[in-house]
């Protein structure tokens, strides 16, 4: 029996998901029911005897499948943040059903005829900019997904999409299983030399939770990163580094090499079926960058500036390690360790010195205060809506008038059912229907250090910027104010979506902002000015190496998706070739990045990893605009809200950016901020 709570509207406050009422066995029948309901909605559009109009076809299509979208968001978000073997098994059953349903829409000839009829006369219609974008997007969703193909090619496309949906899930499941599988138990306290007290305490707590004696370290970031950064034991740093770098690259049941080859080949075949030379060409047609050639040119231009700086930084690091510990050759497991020691020497800045000023609750409050000043948002923690795990925090977000802006979920700590990293997602989009502005439900998910028996959760500075980054994405979702759900919030070009997230990170380096929340967790002392100065001075530390690293990931992505991959037989060999001109450390045969590169093989970043650097050009240029008149200038903040945060994908992103900034972005702002060119 299907529980009524699983079909919307939910009988809950703000129509939020009723997590505690959902059993795993409810999902499959509910998905089937929701797909059937969505099919009926599509049938009503295609069988409408009235001539096709923008309202009865394009708008009706955009608002169809709401029930299916809601249950999909719940299920797949939990599959990332609170999964288990049963949910993963259900996902393998559900994904092909959704893929088939999606194909049934885009390959529906009668539906496409109605869409095309409107598209063909679009110039004669009196449409707003948002309506023009929606029409264009809807038409392309058909033409770019096989509507013009012959029947046999449509069937080929269906098979490819079905297989891809399963392969991407399997890829992610393998990476998560590998992450959870590795444990490094230390029983000799001497092997903890160099590690901060908080890290040791967390490892002790982790061991106790698994009924083991000693200190337990895992591949979860709050455990892994401090270990490779501070441990004096080079052999143990090597052990955990190789474990992290060899995820799903061991030739066993969790190996992803065949999945990588199959995913890239299927994507290429799909692109060819649709008339594109490569998968990258297909993807980039709907990006700000437009073509693979422009992406390559962009990455190569940055490479010219970054590589000399990176090589110089690496040589300095090698010399430092040689002088300090007589290290003859710097290896991958040495990088973070000696970089941290060099940073401490150059700036007298130690993350452990900073952490007491970044208690998690204070950083969250800081993000709230900054967005209150900029955008008049108020955050109130609430306890009367359901949550999927006890760690999750829930908030009501309102504007200066007290109106509901959004429901906000925040999930900060690692656990076995949660994949690594940090991300923003949503449980419900924003849209306007029947004159009612239906507000969104937004979530951010991170993996920060958990509180211990003696200390609260204290963040590294990198974790502080991560929280602000994801919160920037969240603002993009919360402040959405569009008519149509498919254009709302973060439904924008992938090389534009990182602008709101990356620009918010800039406030973490500013004295005015830090003084709002960076207070010592024990004394309440505001972070001293000399520490703020050190944070600012160290902001460009190893920026050449960091930029080169990001460029290398972008080049690896394009190497998989910007050519015919059918000739690639060896994943590691191909990756080695892609990294040939951008690698600094000696090669390690045991490691392979591609087999755990979830961004491009499971997430939505295939042919799009370059977009992080692309958006950095935008965010550096945009933040310079703020700095010209003050980082809390309400007028500039309002322009950013009105033209970027609230507009979603309603217009071309460059049009929106120029409306905010008054000009196209200039890469010099990024290069200046990175210290790669003089001011």
């Amino acid at each position: 029996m299907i529980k009524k709570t699983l079909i919307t509207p939910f009988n809950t406050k703000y129509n939020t998901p009723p997590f505690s009422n959902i059993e795993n066995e409810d999902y499959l029948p509910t998905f089937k029911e929701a797909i059937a309901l969505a099919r009926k909605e599509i049938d009503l559009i295609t069988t409408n005897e009235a001539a096709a109009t923008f309202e009865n076809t394009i708008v009706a299509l955009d608002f169809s499948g709401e029930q299916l979208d809601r249950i999909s968001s719940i299920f797949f978000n939990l599959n990332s943040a609170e999964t288990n073997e049963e949910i993963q098994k259900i996902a393998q059953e559900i994904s092909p059903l959704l893929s088939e349903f999606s194909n049934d829409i885009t390959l529906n000839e009668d539906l496409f005829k109605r869409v095309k009829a409107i598209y063909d006369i679009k110039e004669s219609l009196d449409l707003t900019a948002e309506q023009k974008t929606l029409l264009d997007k809807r038409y392309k969703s058909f033409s770019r997904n096989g509507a013009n193909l012959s029947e046999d090619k449509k069937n080929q496309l269906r098979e490819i999409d079905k297989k891809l949906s399963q392969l991407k899930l399997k890829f992610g499941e393998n990476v998560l299983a590998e992450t959870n599988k590795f444990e490094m138990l230390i029983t000799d306290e001497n092997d903890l030399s160099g590690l901060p007290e908080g890290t040791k305490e967390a490892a002790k707590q982790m061991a106790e939770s698994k009924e083991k004696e000693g200190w337990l370290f895992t591949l979860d970031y709050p455990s892994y990163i401090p270990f490779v950064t501070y441990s004096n034991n080079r052999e143990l740093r090597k052990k955990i580094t190789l474990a992290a770098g060899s995820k799903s690259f061991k030739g066993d049941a969790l190996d992803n090499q065949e999945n990588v080859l199959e995913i890239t080949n299927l994507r290429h075949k799909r692109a060819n079926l649709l008339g594109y030379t490569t998968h990258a060409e297909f993807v980039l047609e709907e990006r700000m960058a437009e073509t693979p050639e422009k992406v390559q040119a962009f990455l190569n231009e940055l490479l010219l500036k970054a590589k000399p700086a990176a090589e110089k930084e690496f040589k300095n690091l090698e010399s430092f390690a040689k002088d300090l510990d007589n290290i003859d050759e710097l290896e991958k497991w040495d990088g973070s360790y000696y970089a941290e020691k060099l940073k401490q020497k150059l700036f007298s800045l130690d993350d452990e010195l900073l952490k007491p000023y970044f208690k998690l609750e204070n950083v969250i409050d800081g993000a709230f205060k900054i967005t209150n000043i900029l955008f008049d948002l108020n955050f109130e923690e609430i306890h009367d809506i359901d949550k999927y795990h006890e760690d999750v925090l829930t908030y009501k977000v309102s504007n200066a008038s007290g109106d509901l802006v959004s429901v906000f979920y925040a999930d900060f700590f690692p656990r076995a059912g949660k994949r690594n990293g940090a991300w923003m997602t949503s449980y419900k989009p924003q849209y306007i229907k029947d004159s009612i502005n239906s507000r969104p439900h937004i979530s951010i998910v991170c993996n920060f250090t958990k509180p211990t028996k003696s200390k609260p959760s204290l963040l590294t500075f990198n974790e502080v910027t991560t929280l602000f980054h994801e919160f920037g994405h969240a603002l993009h979702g919360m402040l959405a104010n569009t008519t149509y759900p498919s254009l709302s919030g973060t439904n924008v070009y992938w090389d534009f979506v990182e602008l709101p997230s990356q620009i918010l990170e800039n406030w973490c380096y500013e004295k005015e902002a830090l003084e709002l929340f960076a207070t010592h967790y024990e004394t309440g002392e505001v972070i001293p000015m000399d520490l703020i100065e050190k944070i600012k001075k160290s902001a460009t530390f190893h920026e050449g190496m960091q930029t080169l690293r990001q460029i290398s990931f972008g080049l690896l992505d394009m190497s998989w998706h910007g050519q015919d991959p059918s000739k690639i037989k060896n994943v590691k060999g191909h990756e080695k070739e892609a990294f040939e001109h951008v690698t600094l450390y000696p090669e390690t045969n045991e490691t392979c990045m591609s087999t755990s590169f979830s961004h491009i093989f499971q997430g939505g970043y295939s042919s799009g990893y370059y977009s992080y650097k692309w958006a950095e050009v935008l965010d550096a240029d945009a933040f310079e605009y703020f700095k010209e008149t003050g980082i809390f200038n309400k007028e500039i903040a309002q322009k950013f809200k009105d033209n970027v945060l609230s507009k979603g994908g309603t217009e071309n992103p460059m049009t929106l950016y120029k409306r905010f900034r008054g000009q196209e972005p200039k890469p010099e702002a990024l290069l200046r901020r990175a210290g790669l060119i003089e001011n």
Side-chain angles (χ1 to χ4, degrees):
M1 188 75 180
I2 296 168
K3 296 191 178 186
K4 290 180 181 175
T5 49
L6 286 190
I7 291 295
T8 59
F10 302 129
N11 186 27
T12 57
K13 190 159 189 178
Y14 307 123
N15 194 20
T16 49
F19 296 110
S20 60
N21 287 335
I22 303 174
E23 304 294 339
N24 285 345
E25 60 264 26
D26 297 326
Y27 282 117
L28 191 57
T30 303
F31 265 102
K32 288 178 178 177
E33 183 182 349
I35 288 171
L37 286 169
R39 285 190 193 282
K40 285 180 184 174
E41 291 170 349
I42 297 298
D43 288 343
L44 284 174
I45 298 170
T46 54
T47 58
N48 191 339
E49 293 181 1
T53 66
F54 183 80
E55 286 294 326
N56 73 18
T57 301
I58 305 302
V59 174
L61 188 53
D62 206 57
F63 280 100
S64 68
E66 183 185 354
Q67 314 250 23
L68 181 58
D69 291 342
R70 291 299 306 277
I71 191 65
S72 293
S73 71
I74 294 170
F75 178 78
F76 287 102
N77 281 333
L78 293 188
N79 193 36
S80 290
E82 185 61 11
T83 195
N84 53 48
E85 284 186 15
E86 192 179 358
I87 284 180
Q88 290 174 3
K89 186 168 177 263
I90 295 165
Q92 289 287 356
E93 290 184 77
I94 287 170
S95 290
L97 297 179
L98 292 174
S99 179
E100 182 183 14
F101 173 67
S102 176
N103 285 145
D104 285 347
I105 293 175
T106 55
L107 301 178
N108 185 321
E109 287 184 28
D110 291 334
L111 186 57
F112 181 50
K113 280 177 188 172
R114 290 183 71 89
V115 171
K116 190 173 185 300
I118 303 156
Y119 186 79
D120 288 344
I121 59 164
K122 63 178 180 179
E123 299 306 326
S124 66
L125 302 175
D126 186 22
L127 300 177
T128 64
E130 183 178 356
Q131 288 171 331
K132 285 176 184 173
T133 301
L134 182 67
L135 176 55
D136 191 55
K137 184 175 179 177
R138 278 286 150 235
Y139 177 77
K140 284 180 178 175
S141 73
F142 286 87
S143 64
R144 283 170 50 81
N145 286 290
N148 292 314
L149 295 179
S150 61
E151 202 56 42
D152 64 319
K153 287 186 176 179
K154 283 181 180 178
N155 289 330
Q156 287 179 51
L157 191 76
R158 285 178 184 276
E159 285 305 309
I160 288 172
D161 287 345
K162 185 177 178 181
K163 186 67 176 165
L164 275 172
S165 70
Q166 293 171 312
L167 284 169
K168 288 193 290 182
L169 276 174
K170 185 63 182 164
F171 182 97
E173 287 167 10
N174 287 349
V175 173
L176 179 62
E178 279 274 70
T179 303
N180 289 337
K181 193 169 116 177
F182 177 83
E183 292 183 349
M184 186 169 74
L185 183 67
I186 292 176
T187 53
D188 184 348
E189 195 163 358
N190 292 324
D191 289 333
L192 302 175
S193 173
L195 293 175
E197 284 306 314
T199 301
K200 289 193 278 189
E201 189 180 357
K204 187 81 172 169
Q205 205 163 290
M206 174 65 75
E208 286 171 1
S209 73
K210 302 211 172 181
E211 299 181 346
K212 295 184 178 182
E213 288 290 325
W215 298 264
L216 192 63
F217 294 88
T218 70
L219 297 182
D220 286 326
Y221 290 159
S223 180
Y224 172 75
I225 298 296
F227 196 90
V228 296
T229 304
Y230 294 105
S231 172
N232 293 331
N233 190 316
R234 195 181 188 206
E235 278 306 305
L236 290 178
R237 289 202 314 268
K238 177 180 178 179
K239 182 180 178 181
I240 200 168
T241 299
L242 292 180
S246 62
K247 280 190 281 192
S248 299
F249 184 61
K250 299 184 182 73
D252 57 11
L254 299 176
D255 193 279
N256 268 336
Q257 291 176 82
E258 283 304 314
N259 290 332
V260 165
L261 293 174
E262 205 167 349
I263 288 169
T264 50
N265 276 285
L266 285 171
R267 283 173 173 168
H268 183 72
K269 285 176 185 172
R270 189 182 193 281
N272 288 170
L273 265 179
L274 295 167
Y276 297 88
T277 310
T278 63
H279 178 68
E281 186 182 76
F282 168 76
V283 169
L284 293 166
E285 184 181 61
E286 290 293 281
R287 300 287 189 268
M288 290 179 80
E290 298 175 334
T291 66
E293 292 74 24
K294 280 192 183 177
V295 170
Q296 290 288 355
F298 170 73
L299 291 173
N300 288 335
E301 185 184 353
L302 281 181
L303 186 59
L304 277 174
K305 299 284 194 308
K307 192 173 181 181
E311 288 173 337
K312 185 179 176 184
E313 291 165 1
F314 189 72
K315 277 183 183 173
N316 288 340
L317 191 62
E318 279 186 313
S319 299
F320 176 73
K322 176 76 174 170
D323 293 344
L324 193 67
D325 289 329
N326 203 29
I327 298 292
D328 289 323
E329 188 171 45
L330 209 61
E331 300 279 3
K332 289 176 181 175
W333 45 89
D334 299 318
S336 297
Y337 179 76
Y338 287 106
E340 180 63 25
K341 288 201 175 306
L342 180 57
K343 188 171 80 170
Q344 288 177 26
K345 181 187 174 186
L346 293 175
F347 308 103
S348 303
L349 187 66
D350 179 357
D351 249 334
E352 289 302 307
L353 198 65
L354 294 175
K355 280 170 72 173
Y357 295 96
F358 296 122
K359 181 181 171 185
L360 174 60
E361 290 80 1
N362 293 348
V363 179
I364 298 166
D365 190 50
F368 292 168
K369 282 177 179 173
I370 287 166
T371 45
N372 175 262
I373 296 169
L374 291 171
F375 308 118
D376 296 317
L377 293 179
N378 299 301
F379 292 80
E380 175 196 348
E381 188 172 2
I382 54 176
H383 305 280
D384 55 355
I385 65 172
D386 220 344
K387 50 178 83 171
Y388 57 86
H389 191 276
E390 61 183 7
D391 285 349
V392 178
L393 305 173
T394 49
Y395 299 88
K396 174 188 174 184
V397 188
S398 55
N399 60 20
S401 305
D403 304 318
L404 178 70
V405 170
S406 175
V407 171
F408 178 49
Y409 300 85
D411 180 359
F412 290 121
F413 303 123
R415 51 183 176 267
K418 188 187 202 180
R419 67 178 170 89
N420 250 331
W423 62 94
M424 167 267 178
T425 185
S426 77
Y427 286 94
K428 179 191 168 301
Q430 175 274 334
Y431 54 82
I432 298 170
K433 190 177 184 182
D434 300 327
S435 301
I436 296 170
N437 196 324
S438 184
R439 300 312 301 167
H441 302 166
I442 304 299
S443 171
I444 61 171
V445 187
C446 305
N447 282 277
F448 297 146
T449 307
K450 290 191 84 162
T452 62
K453 289 168 187 171
S454 68
K455 285 189 181 72
S457 176
L458 301 176
L459 305 189
T460 65
F461 188 71
N462 187 53
E463 288 175 324
V464 173
T465 58
T466 295
L467 191 152
F468 270 69
H469 179 101
E470 299 309 331
F471 193 65
H473 279 311
L475 289 174
H476 203 182
M478 290 178 202
L479 290 169
N481 193 30
T482 65
T483 305
Y484 308 110
S486 72
L487 301 180
S488 182
T490 55
N491 286 308
V492 300
Y493 283 0
W494 278 86
D495 44 11
F496 190 63
V497 78
E498 295 298 334
L499 168 60
S501 57
Q502 289 178 188
I503 193 174
L504 202 66
E505 291 181 44
N506 289 280
W507 273 264
C508 299
Y509 296 89
E510 298 297 323
K511 177 177 180 288
E512 290 172 79
L514 285 168
E515 288 180 342
L516 292 173
F517 68 92
T519 56
H520 197 285
Y521 80 100
E522 288 177 316
T523 67
E525 173 202 13
V526 175
I527 190 167
M529 189 63 211
D530 67 311
L531 280 183
I532 294 177
E533 282 305 311
K534 286 173 183 176
I535 289 171
K536 287 178 77 75
K537 281 180 184 173
S538 68
T540 59
F541 177 66
H542 281 180
E543 188 62 39
M545 287 168 66
Q546 292 298 331
T547 301
L548 188 66
R549 182 173 179 267
Q550 286 293 97
I551 291 169
S552 73
F553 296 168
L555 291 171
L556 178 62
D557 173 25
M558 292 303 289
S559 77
W560 280 116
H561 297 111
Q563 63 172 319
D564 180 354
S566 62
K567 295 184 181 66
I568 303 169
K569 304 300 178 191
N570 185 297
V571 173
K572 173 72 174 181
H574 173 74
E575 179 172 301
K576 196 173 173 182
E577 196 177 305
F579 282 156
E580 188 180 358
H581 301 295
V582 288
T583 192
L584 297 169
Y585 292 95
E587 185 54 53
T588 46
N589 293 326
E590 306 96 316
T591 63
C592 181
M593 183 187 177
S594 297
T595 54
S596 61
F597 199 175
S598 298
H599 272 77
I600 68 169
F601 292 118
Q602 184 193 11
Y605 279 86
S606 63
S607 306
Y609 201 86
Y610 75 92
S611 60
Y612 283 103
K613 295 310 290 184
W614 184 280
E616 272 190 57
V617 170
L618 297 174
D619 97 67
D621 185 71
F623 193 64
E624 277 199 354
Y625 190 30
F626 271 96
K627 291 197 79 171
E628 285 167 13
T629 51
I631 63 166
F632 288 119
N633 184 291
K634 296 282 280 192
E635 186 183 339
I636 306 299
Q638 190 66 40
K639 283 180 75 175
F640 192 68
K641 178 182 173 183
D642 290 346
N643 296 298
V644 177
L645 296 177
S646 68
K647 284 287 192 275
T650 54
E651 293 184 69
N652 183 285
M654 189 58 80
T655 302
L656 296 174
Y657 187 84
K658 282 160 66 176
R659 206 174 287 151
F660 155 67
R661 184 68 167 99
Q663 62 186 39
E664 289 199 3
K666 296 174 181 173
E668 286 76 17
L670 171 62
L671 296 170
R672 273 194 295 274
R673 186 176 71 186
L676 299 176
I677 62 171
E678 295 296 320
N679 285 327

